[in-house]
Amino acid sequence: MKAELASTDGVKSTDISVKTVNGEVTLIGVLASDTAVKKAVAAARGVKGVTNVDASGLKVKD
């Protein structure tokens, strides 16, 4: 999961904490823009075996 996020343009993977349980992924962190948040969610959803992505913990930096 972290490798997928790290290879996503516009997403700084070191700013995201990832928790995975039984195919459900929770993303937590503060990213530079709303676009970065959307890209991170899309990247997580694209990983084989992921059944759900909870991005409620992703925020945009003020």
Side-chain angles (χ1 to χ4, degrees), residues 21-44:
V21 178
N22 296 326
E24 296 195 16
V25 177
T26 302
L27 303 175
I28 301 169
V30 179
L31 298 176
S33 68
D34 189 51
T35 300
V37 170
K38 289 176 183 175
K39 285 183 175 183
V41 171

Side-chain angles (χ1 to χ4, degrees), residues 30-62:
V30 179
L31 298 176
S33 68
D34 189 51
T35 300
V37 170
K38 289 176 183 175
K39 285 183 175 183
V41 171
R45 286 187 176 138
V47 173
K48 184 178 181 179
V50 171
T51 58
N52 186 48
V53 177
D54 177 3
S56 62
L58 283 182
K59 308 296 180 199
V60 177
K61 186 184 288 185
D62 290 333

